[in-house]
Amino acid sequence: MEQRHLGRTGLRVSRIGLGTLTWGRDTDEHDAADLLKTFWEAGGTLVDTADVYGDGESEYLLGKLMDGLVPRQDLVISTKAGSVPDPDRRFDGSRGHLLSALDASLARLGTDYVDVWHIHAYDPATPLDETLAALDIAVGSGRVRYAGVSNFCGWQLAKAATWQLAAPGVRTRLASTQMEYSLLQRGVEREVLPAALDLGIGLLPSSPLGRGVLTGKYRNDSAPADSRGASEHLALFVEPYLDDTASRIVDAVTTAADGLAVTALQVALAWVRDRPGVAAPIVGARTAQQLTAALSVEALSLPDEICRALDDVSAPVHRYPDHDWSTL
């Protein structure tokens, strides 16, 4: 699999990443082992998890599989910290919480470092410089090799990255930002992606298949029994993308796939993989067969006319102040 630099850093990652959101909950050890082995054998390196996935079981399971199935040094492990299961405070970006969470993640993963450590979300109750100081400490101690953020809006990302570049002392520049991005969710193009491109930050799209909807499996107004839309945990996650707008986009993707003699999954994934600024979409497959189908996109490059058609049908509405008024 082709490798890409993560942002403006020397770290190279496979241009498709493996997501582990459901590991330890909906995905058991046997299926997880099949997924990881399939990914590794295809040349995949980037594996993404978080301390809250499966209440820590995702990290634990990944660590267990690295202890014998796939060599640790062959993988680029990305995890996150900052989300908390507290209804009164969903995010905790304090230095104390983040560094304690990192130590717990390392213990579950069975490793003494992670390759990329993301702040899971912006915490308005904690000064941003305190949150970013945790990144500096983590990298300085050798427990983290590269750092990034997740779910930061445009101004938050720009502020964080600029602080790391401009503040005195040895600071850790942001390597990446993880955000939802697909043909069904192009909101990052408004401010986040331009900021990332300008600041040399690599984008790691989550849910690149529109939470599974872009595969076309929901076209008959029903959720297959083995799909996320029928899952007790993820049905509400899928539901927002089952509207008429999404249906029109899925129809266009399917039409493009038919014309190219490929699958809708391949078209949707190739589109987001090759967008400017994207380092590696994170694919959360349920089975090794699904993952193999996703990895088959490696050989596909969409023709320019197909890309333009998909761009048009899925174009978000961006008006003032995003419109280039200098052309008027």
Side-chain angles (χ1 to χ4, degrees):
M1 189 183 304
E2 182 181 323
Q3 306 287 305
R4 290 174 171 173
H5 285 279
L6 185 59
R8 205 171 292 155
T9 74
L11 178 64
R12 290 165 60 84
V13 299
S14 54
R15 63 176 181 167
I16 297 292
L18 176 63
T20 64
L21 173 66
T22 63
W23 286 25
R25 188 180 61 191
D26 298 324
T27 303
D28 62 21
E29 182 176 347
H30 178 268
D31 288 337
D34 285 345
L35 287 166
L36 186 60
K37 186 176 181 181
T38 298
F39 184 66
W40 174 59
E41 290 178 343
T45 61
L46 177 63
V47 182
D48 180 74
T49 186
D51 62 347
V52 293
Y53 290 176
D55 294 326
E57 287 299 311
S58 174
E59 288 182 329
Y60 174 76
L61 187 50
L62 176 57
K64 188 175 181 179
L65 294 176
M66 286 192 296
D67 185 20
L69 181 66
V70 175
R72 168 68 181 92
Q73 62 270 22
D74 287 359
L75 299 178
V76 176
I77 302 300
S78 164
T79 193
K80 312 176 195 70
S83 291
V84 291
D86 183 343
D88 296 322
R89 185 178 187 183
R90 295 181 58 202
F91 310 116
D92 188 345
S94 66
R95 181 170 55 241
H97 171 79
L98 292 173
L99 294 176
S100 294
L102 174 60
D103 289 338
S105 289
L106 293 174
R108 287 189 291 267
L109 288 164
T111 183
D112 57 3
Y113 73 97
V114 292
D115 299 278
V116 188
W117 189 44
H118 289 95
I119 304 302
H120 209 154
Y122 183 84
D123 175 16
T126 300
L128 182 58
D129 58 330
E130 179 182 338
T131 297
L132 296 174
L135 299 180
D136 299 328
I137 294 169
V139 172
S141 68
R143 290 175 287 174
V144 169
R145 300 289 171 84
Y146 294 88
V149 296
S150 175
N151 299 306
F152 275 41
C153 70
W155 73 263
Q156 294 163 352
L157 175 64
K159 182 178 180 180
T162 303
W163 175 270
Q164 292 301 92
L165 291 171
V170 179
R171 310 307 299 259
T172 300
R173 72 173 299 145
L174 298 185
S176 55
T177 181
Q178 188 168 338
M179 300 288 291
E180 184 169 352
Y181 187 28
S182 73
L183 280 161
L184 297 184
Q185 179 52 270
R186 295 176 61 183
V188 296
E189 294 177 4
R190 184 180 178 98
E191 291 184 340
V192 173
L193 191 52
L197 285 166
D198 185 68
L199 292 160
I201 298 169
L203 180 64
L204 300 173
S206 59
S207 298
L209 297 174
R211 308 182 184 184
V213 174
L214 286 165
T215 64
K217 67 175 67 175
Y218 301 99
R219 293 186 78 197
N220 296 321
D221 297 323
S222 62
D226 61 350
S227 69
R228 291 183 175 185
S231 164
E232 175 185 354
H233 304 294
L234 296 172
L236 292 178
F237 181 65
V238 175
E239 185 179 3
Y241 291 161
L242 299 178
D243 60 10
D244 291 341
T245 298
S247 180
R248 289 194 296 272
I249 296 171
V250 172
D251 286 346
V253 170
T254 303
T255 299
D258 290 343
L260 295 172
V262 296
T263 66
L265 180 154
Q266 290 173 309
V267 169
L269 190 54
W271 180 88
V272 71
R273 180 200 64 196
D274 295 334
R275 299 295 286 179
V278 169
I282 306 298
V283 176
R286 185 177 54 82
T287 66
Q289 183 178 11
Q290 289 180 346
L291 180 59
T292 298
L295 296 177
S296 68
V297 77
E298 180 69 13
L300 176 64
S301 294
L302 296 180
D304 290 343
E305 59 270 24
I306 296 292
C307 288
R308 286 193 296 270
L310 294 175
D311 289 351
D312 290 344
V313 75
S314 65
V317 178
H318 288 171
R319 295 191 177 97
Y320 181 86
D322 304 280
H323 187 81
D324 184 4
W325 296 97
S326 66
T327 63
L328 298 181

